[in-house]
Amino acid sequence: MKWCLSFLLVILTSGVKAQDYSLAESELRAQLSPVRHATLSAEMSGKIRRLKAREGLTFSKGQLLIEFDCALQLAQLNKAKAQLDGAKNVYIGAQQMAEMKAIGSVELKNSQVEVDKAKADVAYLNATIDRCSVKAPYTGAISQQLVREQEFVQTGQALLEIIDTTQLELKFIVPSSWLSWLKPGRPFQVKIEDTNTTYPARLSY
C-alpha cells in the first residue's frame, strides 16, 4: 500500500532491570499501515456520472463514492415494472375465468408463469441498478483515485484504492535481547513527530 507513515515509537520499559537497560525509555522507528485495504473495481461497464472520492479524503461506511450513469437501466426497470403490473392483471382475470370454468388449468398456469417471469426481470434490473453505486464497505480513506468523472470504464476495472482507518497496525524491529520482556500486552507510546502528538498503544503480537 502507498499509505504508510513512519512514526517515533517509545517502548515503555517500566519493570525492566536497570542494569540490563541503560535508558528508562527506548525509542524506535515504526511504520504505521492499515490492517484492511482494498481495490474497489467496477461491477458493470458504463460512464461515471459522479465521483465523490478524492485521494486523501475520508469516508464513512456505506457512503457513496462513485455513481454510474444508469438512465438506460432505470428506463428498463420502469418498463419491467409496468410489464409486471400487466401480468398480474392478466393473472387476476385468469383466476376469475377459471372459477367460472371459462378457461382451463393450463391457461391459468401460463398466466402465473408470466407473472413469475416479470418478477424475475424486475429483480434482475434492481440488482443491476444496485451496481450503479459504489459505496464504502467500511470507514476509511482514499489512498489512490484511479478514474475520473465522465470516463467510461469496463467491468472489473479498478476504480479506487481504499484503506480502513479504524484498524491500524505498527510494525517495528527490536533487538533479539528484548524478547525476554517485550511480550504481548506491554504498553508503549506512538509519537507523531509532525504534530508532536503522542498516542497510547499496546503490543498485540
Side-chain angles (χ1 to χ4, degrees):
M1 288 297 296
K2 293 185 176 181
W3 198 84
C4 288
L5 298 173
S6 293
F7 294 91
L8 189 65
L9 183 71
V10 181
I11 303 293
L12 303 182
T13 57
S14 57
V16 180
K17 294 181 180 179
Q19 60 267 31
D20 295 331
Y21 303 95
S22 58
L23 296 176
E25 293 182 344
S26 298
E27 296 181 348
L28 297 172
R29 286 288 172 182
Q31 186 180 64
L32 181 67
S33 58
V35 175
R36 292 195 298 178
H37 53 84
T39 299
L40 301 184
S41 301
E43 295 188 48
M44 62 179 294
S45 296
K47 184 173 69 175
I48 296 175
R49 189 176 76 87
R50 184 167 52 160
L51 181 65
K52 303 189 70 174
R54 297 290 186 275
E55 288 185 15
L57 292 185
T58 59
F59 52 79
S60 301
K61 181 178 180 179
Q63 182 176 328
L64 178 66
L65 301 177
I66 293 178
E67 184 178 8
F68 285 83
D69 183 352
C70 287
L72 177 60
Q73 290 84 346
L74 286 170
Q76 291 174 331
L77 176 60
N78 291 332
K79 179 182 177 181
K81 287 180 176 179
Q83 291 174 333
L84 175 58
D85 290 339
K88 287 180 177 179
N89 289 335
V90 171
Y91 177 62
I92 291 173
Q95 285 179 312
Q96 294 172 347
M97 294 180 68
E99 291 174 356
M100 296 183 293
K101 308 298 182 182
I103 62 172
S105 60
V106 174
E107 290 84 353
L108 179 61
K109 181 63 176 178
N110 286 341
S111 64
Q112 175 64 64
V113 169
E114 291 302 315
V115 172
D116 293 339
K117 287 170 58 178
K119 285 182 177 179
D121 288 340
V122 170
Y124 172 78
L125 288 167
N126 275 325
T128 300
I129 290 174
D130 284 342
R131 296 178 178 179
C132 295
S133 300
V134 179
K135 297 182 179 180
Y138 43 71
T139 298
I142 307 295
S143 61
Q144 189 172 13
Q145 177 188 334
L146 304 172
V147 292
R148 297 290 185 271
E149 284 188 0
Q150 304 307 313
E151 286 186 357
F152 187 92
V153 300
Q154 300 289 343
T155 301
Q157 182 175 337
L159 306 173
L160 300 169
E161 290 185 4
I162 64 171
I163 60 169
D164 182 354
T165 55
T166 65
Q167 299 184 49
L168 304 174
E169 64 180 3
L170 285 162
K171 297 181 180 180
F172 54 93
I173 299 174
V174 300
S176 58
S177 59
W178 286 24
L179 299 180
S180 61
W181 58 271
L182 192 59
K183 302 296 183 181
R186 174 167 288 277
F188 57 92
Q189 295 177 344
V190 181
K191 181 179 180 182
I192 303 177
E193 294 181 311
D194 288 345
T195 61
N196 197 33
T197 305
T198 300
Y199 298 93
R202 193 170 295 274
L203 187 67
S204 60
Y205 61 88

